Amino acid sequence: MQIRLENIDTIKNSKNIRIEDLHIFNFDYEDFGYIFERKNFTEVKKRMNEEFHRPVLLKETLEGLNIKDGGVYVDCTFGAGGHTRAILESANCKVIGIDRDAFTEKFADELKKEFPDRFAYVNSRFSDLDSALDSIKVDKVDGILFDIGVSSMQFDTPRRGFSFQLDGPLDMRMESDGNSAEDFINTATEEEIAGVIFRYGDEKRSRSIARAIIVERQEKRITRTAQLADIIKRSVGRYNDTIHPATRSFQAIRIHVNDELNQLKLGLQKAIKRIKDDGKVCVITFHSGEDVIVKDFFREISGYNQGVSRYMPLPSSTATNYLSEFEMLPKKPIAASEEETNSNPRARSAKLRILKKTKHTIN
């Protein structure tokens, strides 16, 4: 059963709570169940509010894409549609929203009603950008945006299992198929778990955490986010850090489960093939591993580094010709302003990098 504000009366009397104050867009009934059980309902309401899902680095991204009338843009990480809506409202242009998470279709449906002739949606991985654009008969575009990582919408939906702030099943999948975080945690070896947590989370105590997980799962299967967070917290003991001791491990497991870094590499390769002259590729990252991939790819594809990109090998005879077509704007990433980070803590680690395809001048 799906709940909207217009039929909220069907459940408002079932709990002693001010549900009429909520501003929730078409979340599933199961999500309400989690919310009702929370003691700090005010914080939950804040997280579920649409305002909480505002896009990071929005002003800088719109300027980077250089939105114009008649342009065609791709939002490769559609999410709840925040960036897409802003692009559509900035000019008389068209936007294609792409997302691997089928849960985002409900947000796309709403935008389609508002912009029926200017918005299209494809449920697809951005690593399959070519086939996604081909499916709606779009060739080259004026701008492509990647907002890498997990959206607030995903974090704040407990049954998705991305966060331990709201207890839920240990899932973390952006798609409904494939192995979940629960599958990984309960079947991987100690070495595999430690390797993932160290490699993708920069977690110094990865071995202690992995050992504690193995010991715990011998007693009972690990199935809940709060359960795993508690295991991690107990395994590290005193932890002199400003973040919860499970934060890095959860991030690492999520990246592994969704093959996020490899998906990013593939997505960037596809993107530069679809950009028109003077078009832009904008990438927002929140994790050092993601940013390194984007930085290295942009530097090499623009000729900032000597040689041909290791992500897209080319014959030496065409390397100079190919590399001359791209330019990094600027050379260093753009960070969120102090004003934005104060109002939206998620923006603190955000970095925006921009690649421009210059007009072909060398034969």
Side-chain angles (χ1 to χ4, degrees):
M1 178 181 181
Q2 291 186 337
I3 301 297
R4 290 178 180 268
L5 289 180
E6 57 262 33
N7 63 357
I8 209 74
D9 288 338
T10 59
I11 60 170
K12 68 179 296 185
N13 295 325
S14 65
K15 297 286 181 178
N16 183 23
I17 204 165
R18 285 186 58 81
I19 193 169
E20 63 268 26
D21 289 339
L22 284 173
H23 189 165
I24 297 179
F25 178 83
N26 201 18
F27 280 81
D28 291 344
Y29 179 77
E30 186 178 355
D31 300 318
F32 283 86
Y34 284 111
I35 293 171
F36 293 155
E37 294 171 2
R38 292 287 294 178
K39 293 181 181 180
N40 58 334
F41 179 70
T42 301
E43 176 63 21
V44 176
K45 182 174 69 173
K46 173 186 175 183
R47 288 174 172 271
M48 300 297 281
N49 193 287
E50 286 181 334
E51 182 181 355
F52 189 77
H53 301 300
R54 60 191 180 276
V56 168
L57 288 167
L58 179 59
K59 176 177 177 291
E60 294 83 354
T61 300
L62 295 177
E63 291 176 352
L65 287 170
N66 190 27
I67 311 300
K68 59 185 179 182
D69 289 345
V72 180
Y73 303 90
V74 182
D75 184 350
C76 286
T77 44
F78 175 74
H83 279 113
T84 291
R85 175 180 290 279
I87 295 170
L88 288 166
E89 292 176 346
S90 297
N92 184 21
C93 60
K94 294 183 179 180
V95 180
I96 298 101
I98 298 175
D99 206 296
R100 65 193 290 189
D101 188 348
F103 188 77
T104 62
E105 290 186 29
K106 59 184 69 179
F107 301 100
D109 289 343
E110 293 297 315
L111 272 183
K112 187 64 177 176
K113 293 175 184 176
E114 294 185 53
F115 306 95
D117 300 322
R118 298 202 286 126
F119 172 68
Y121 171 85
V122 183
N123 178 211
S124 172
R125 294 184 176 191
F126 53 64
S127 60
D128 296 322
L129 180 61
D130 282 337
S131 58
L133 294 181
D134 288 345
S135 70
I136 55 174
K137 296 179 172 55
V138 172
D139 185 16
K140 297 296 181 70
V141 299
D142 297 281
I144 299 177
L145 168 65
F146 296 84
D147 184 2
I148 306 302
V150 177
S151 69
S152 298
M153 173 193 67
Q154 291 166 322
F155 266 122
D156 302 330
T157 306
R159 63 188 172 82
R160 303 299 301 277
F162 286 102
S163 171
F164 50 84
Q165 300 297 328
L166 299 172
D167 184 35
L170 191 57
D171 195 321
M172 298 194 193
R173 291 174 297 178
M174 295 181 182
E175 298 158 301
S176 58
D177 58 349
N179 291 332
S180 67
E182 178 183 340
D183 296 326
F184 171 70
I185 286 298
N186 287 282
T187 62
T189 66
E190 181 177 329
E191 290 75 17
E192 288 172 336
I193 295 172
V196 164
I197 293 175
F198 179 79
R199 184 164 59 252
Y200 299 139
D202 299 322
E203 175 54 70
K204 297 178 181 178
R205 305 195 184 187
S206 59
R207 293 186 181 276
S208 297
I209 293 170
R211 193 173 306 115
I213 289 172
I214 297 298
V215 170
E216 184 75 18
R217 80 186 193 191
Q218 291 174 346
E219 297 295 325
K220 60 180 178 179
R221 188 173 178 85
I222 303 170
T223 63
R224 309 288 296 182
T225 58
Q227 180 187 6
L228 178 58
D230 182 63
I231 295 169
I232 295 171
K233 185 177 181 179
R234 286 188 280 110
S235 71
V236 300
R238 298 188 63 178
Y239 202 86
N240 186 23
D241 207 334
T242 57
I243 63 174
H244 190 285
T247 301
R248 294 188 180 92
S249 296
F250 266 68
Q251 171 187 271
I253 295 167
R254 185 208 81 218
I255 289 173
H256 171 74
V257 166
N258 294 288
D259 191 28
E260 292 180 31
L261 300 189
N262 189 49
Q263 290 295 310
L264 174 57
K265 292 176 184 178
L266 294 172
L268 292 173
Q269 292 175 22
K270 300 293 178 65
I272 61 170
K273 295 179 180 179
R274 293 287 188 158
I275 286 290
K276 297 178 181 178
D277 289 346
D278 290 328
K280 308 282 190 62
V281 178
C282 294
V283 187
I284 301 172
T285 61
F286 296 87
H287 174 255
S288 59
E290 300 162 350
D291 183 59
V292 167
I293 289 172
V294 178
K295 178 183 70 174
D296 288 351
F297 183 85
F298 280 11
R299 285 169 65 97
E300 293 189 26
I301 212 68
S302 64
Y304 191 79
N305 287 350
Q306 294 299 314
V308 182
S309 170
R310 65 175 177 269
Y311 297 103
M312 185 174 289
L314 293 169
S316 57
S317 61
T318 61
T320 303
N321 182 35
Y322 184 80
L323 293 171
S324 67
E325 295 186 39
F326 293 92
E327 179 184 1
M328 292 176 64
L329 299 173
K331 295 294 188 298
K332 293 186 177 181
I334 300 169
S337 66
E338 183 177 355
E339 180 182 1
E340 181 175 5
T341 56
N342 287 338
S343 63
N344 184 6
R346 183 172 177 260
R348 287 179 297 196
S349 59
K351 293 181 180 179
L352 169 64
R353 293 187 184 272
I354 304 170
L355 183 73
K356 179 182 179 180
K357 184 175 182 181
T358 57
K359 291 185 178 180
H360 188 75
T361 57
I362 300 177
N363 294 323

